[in-house]
Amino acid sequence: MEEELISNQYVIMIVTGIIMGTIARFSTIKEDYRQYPSYPNGYMIHVLTSFVAAFLGAVAIPALMTKNYVAVTFLALAIQQFRDIRKIEKESMQDLENTEYTYRGDAYIDGIAKTFEARNYFSLLVAFATSLTMQVMDSKWIWLNVGSGCTVGILILLWLKRFSKGKTVGDIATVRLGEVKVEGSELFVDEIYISNLLGTENARTMFQNEGIAAIIEPKENHLRITLDHFGQRQAILFEATRAMGVKRYHFTRKEYDTGKVVITLVPVLKNPDLLKETIQNTPLLENVKKSHSVMDTNFIGRR
């Protein structure tokens, strides 16, 4: 009788890890409606890549226990593949820039691409933790091993989601609706000058009757650094235009004295409350966030 290549114990361990890792990725696909797919092809791509990531994480422990060290080296290959996924997603979004209502911006694209890559590590780590727990338990009761592995996998997933969750514009600024006012060819929002491009009667009438605006005001003065960043303002404008569409015009302007940022547009769907909610939920870009407390500490240390 031929010797089994792998025991039933390891088969159950691998299958459980793969299932948990795939579920971990699937649970984050619709966590953020701005960054994740809404169509079948998008789901299929991400579920399949998560399956591969979960498989690699699940087989790591059995490979080590059976002294199959060559199999473990595939983890390094997987990391490179995930980096390629980030590159592909980044290139894909850049190719579509000219088809959107307004540009998403390089800073926003870079953050989204990194998020796509990181979600694959969710699958790998959850699957690895599940398999490791089942190996440590090593009980004769299979259901106890599986239950313990799934419990640890869920806890790891919850921790990863909490750890990776970023802040939004609503966390650092107050958002309120503004009053649109047209004087001649000039556009104002709550007396803040926006533009002088409304040169035609049709443009003036359209903005006066259908235009909506929101004013974003930082909660603290140092938070102006984040809101003033062009990439952040572009991301806010992009989310606003994608949520409601643009019939004709869209502008973003900052007020230099107070640090207020104004978003105004003539939308396809006129819904001021949706504009406010969309701006509040726009994520803060990773490359514009600064730690004010750390900066103060370093400054004091140099004095």
Side-chain angles (χ1 to χ4, degrees):
M1 184 176 180
E2 295 183 359
E3 183 180 356
E4 293 184 355
L5 296 178
I6 187 170
S7 66
N8 290 334
Q9 175 189 0
Y10 288 141
V11 170
I12 294 173
M13 184 185 301
I14 292 172
V15 171
T16 304
I18 291 174
I19 293 174
M20 287 299 299
T22 305
I23 291 175
R25 177 66 182 98
F26 191 80
S27 69
T28 63
I29 285 180
K30 292 296 292 182
E31 182 180 339
D32 191 327
Y33 70 92
R34 295 174 300 270
Q35 298 184 10
Y36 298 106
S38 301
Y39 296 95
N41 287 336
Y43 279 114
M44 182 178 69
I45 292 171
H46 288 277
V47 170
L48 286 178
T49 54
S50 69
F51 176 84
V52 174
F55 178 80
L56 292 170
V59 302
I61 297 301
L64 289 173
M65 297 304 298
T66 57
K67 299 182 180 181
N68 188 359
Y69 302 115
V70 176
V72 182
T73 61
F74 279 100
L75 290 174
L77 179 61
I79 293 175
Q80 180 59 46
Q81 291 299 316
F82 297 155
R83 292 182 64 87
D84 289 340
I85 290 174
R86 181 177 77 178
K87 182 180 178 181
I88 292 171
E89 292 291 347
K90 186 174 182 179
E91 292 175 349
S92 176
M93 286 184 285
Q94 288 174 335
D95 291 340
L96 295 175
E97 280 284 76
N98 291 327
T99 68
E100 302 286 356
Y101 286 111
T102 185
Y103 293 126
R104 185 185 267 110
D106 291 337
Y108 200 11
I109 288 176
D110 182 70
I112 294 173
K114 288 179 180 177
T115 300
F116 274 117
E117 179 186 4
R119 292 298 188 249
N120 288 300
Y121 297 130
F122 277 32
S123 294
L124 191 150
L125 291 174
V126 169
F128 179 82
T130 301
S131 295
L132 178 62
T133 302
M134 294 178 66
Q135 178 62 41
V136 171
M137 289 295 296
D138 196 22
S139 172
K140 64 179 181 179
W141 304 103
I142 296 177
W143 63 267
L144 180 60
N145 294 336
V146 173
S148 300
C150 292
T151 300
V152 172
I154 292 172
L155 292 175
I156 292 295
L157 173 61
L158 294 175
W159 179 80
L160 287 172
K161 290 175 69 173
R162 182 180 179 85
F163 174 79
S164 63
K165 184 178 181 180
K167 291 186 177 182
T168 62
V169 172
D171 293 324
I172 69 166
T174 57
V175 181
R176 61 181 176 84
L177 300 177
E179 180 183 357
V180 175
K181 184 178 181 181
V182 178
E183 295 181 358
S185 63
E186 296 181 338
L187 173 65
F188 295 86
V189 174
D190 282 11
E191 306 304 326
I192 300 175
Y193 173 78
I194 304 299
S195 175
N196 63 351
L197 298 180
L198 305 184
T200 65
E201 183 64 30
N202 180 62
R204 293 191 290 270
T205 302
M206 182 179 292
F207 231 113
Q208 188 67 65
N209 296 335
E210 303 180 54
I212 58 176
I215 298 176
I216 312 166
E217 188 171 3
K219 294 180 179 180
E220 297 183 34
N221 188 57
H222 71 271
L223 295 174
R224 293 178 56 177
I225 299 174
T226 299
L227 289 179
D228 282 356
H229 191 277
F230 178 77
Q232 185 65 62
R233 289 190 287 123
Q234 186 64 32
I236 296 172
L237 182 62
F238 172 81
E239 290 300 337
T241 58
R242 190 168 71 164
M244 293 175 293
V246 176
K247 185 176 290 188
R248 186 65 176 89
Y249 300 98
H250 54 81
F251 300 104
T252 175
R253 185 74 65 184
K254 64 179 179 180
E255 210 272 329
Y256 293 97
D257 293 334
T258 61
K260 297 177 182 177
V261 173
V262 180
I263 301 293
T264 182
L265 66 154
V266 179
V268 175
L269 175 64
K270 188 175 182 180
N271 189 334
D273 292 334
L274 178 59
L275 173 63
K276 180 178 178 180
E277 181 181 357
T278 300
I279 294 174
Q280 289 174 330
N281 290 329
T282 300
L284 295 181
L285 306 184
E286 291 187 5
N287 64 328
V288 303
K289 290 188 294 186
K290 302 292 182 182
S291 176
H292 184 65
S293 60
V294 172
M295 293 172 67
D296 282 349
T297 301
N298 292 338
F299 177 76
I300 293 173
R302 290 194 299 267
R303 294 181 62 181

